[in-house]
Amino acid sequence: MPTAATLSKTRAHHHDPLRPLADAIGSMTGTLSGQVASALHQVLEAATPQSRHTRLQLIRHLVDVESQTVGIEKPKTLGTASDLISTAQAAELLGYSRPYVAMLIDQNKLKGATVSAGGHRRVSRAAVMEWHTAHQVAGEASDLRAAGKKTGAYKSTEADAVGRIKALAKNR
């Protein structure tokens, strides 16, 4: 972890992106901005899980603030993108069956998914939404059953379908 002396020497030659924040905090608290800058760098640059969590929370907060500034509202019902969700929850978001989502995870099509020793699959909400966006059918929602009904796929009996399959097999 960098020390205050190392930071001040390194930062003297480069622009310090935390300096304006340190100056603002220093002016509000009466603390020297150099000390505030040093503390910010120590917290944000440490290689600890707590520092990583702090950096990610800071990024999320800054995105939220900037989004509000330009008029983009944060969805209230989705939770955070890093939420790990079950295959049933992912299936509900995608509009597919739970076994289909499990297959996507098993085939590594939903990135970052985890499988416990007991076989329970979890996947990040962000990966599910990314896959959904990449595989979304343009235009109407992709309701395959409704599309099948429109084309008459459900008017045939099972015997008709078996007969067609046998006929196709003979023609090969």
Side-chain angles (χ1 to χ4, degrees), residues 96-119:
Y96 294 114
S97 68
R98 188 204 52 76
Y100 184 75
V101 172
M103 179 207 63
L104 291 175
I105 291 171
D106 293 343
Q107 293 179 353
N108 291 323
K109 292 185 179 180
L110 288 175
K111 303 297 179 201
T114 61
V115 182
S116 71

Side-chain angles (χ1 to χ4, degrees), residues 9-170:
K9 287 179 186 174
T10 306
R11 308 268 184 261
H13 299 293
H14 299 350
H15 171 71
D16 182 2
L18 295 178
R19 192 57 176 203
L21 179 60
D23 290 342
I25 293 170
S27 69
M28 289 190 301
T29 63
T31 311
L32 296 175
S33 60
Q35 292 173 328
V36 174
S38 176
L40 286 170
H41 281 286
Q42 286 178 5
V43 169
L44 295 173
E45 294 172 2
T48 64
Q50 295 85 0
S51 287
R52 182 174 189 277
H53 179 73
T54 301
R55 287 189 300 271
L56 293 174
Q57 292 295 332
L58 179 59
I59 290 168
R60 183 174 295 142
H61 178 70
L62 293 173
V63 167
D64 289 346
V65 168
E66 193 60 28
S67 296
Q68 289 172 355
T69 302
V70 295
I72 300 171
E73 281 191 39
K74 181 173 86 171
K76 305 269 188 268
T77 58
L78 291 180
T80 62
S82 63
D83 291 344
L84 288 179
I85 59 175
S86 68
T87 53
Q89 292 167 315
E92 187 176 329
L93 284 173
L94 293 172
Y96 294 114
S97 68
R98 188 204 52 76
Y100 184 75
V101 172
M103 179 207 63
L104 291 175
I105 291 171
D106 293 343
Q107 293 179 353
N108 291 323
K109 292 185 179 180
L110 288 175
K111 303 297 179 201
T114 61
V115 182
S116 71
H120 298 285
R121 296 170 185 89
R122 297 272 186 236
V123 63
S124 76
R125 187 180 306 273
V128 171
M129 299 315 291
E130 181 180 312
W131 189 90
H132 180 64
T133 300
H135 294 86
Q136 194 168 20
V137 177
E140 294 182 18
S142 59
D143 182 356
L144 298 178
R145 184 175 299 270
K149 284 181 181 178
K150 283 182 184 177
T151 62
Y154 290 96
K155 292 179 183 175
S156 299
T157 65
E158 186 176 342
D160 291 339
V162 170
R164 288 186 196 132
I165 291 170
K166 285 181 180 178
L168 287 172
K170 281 184 183 179

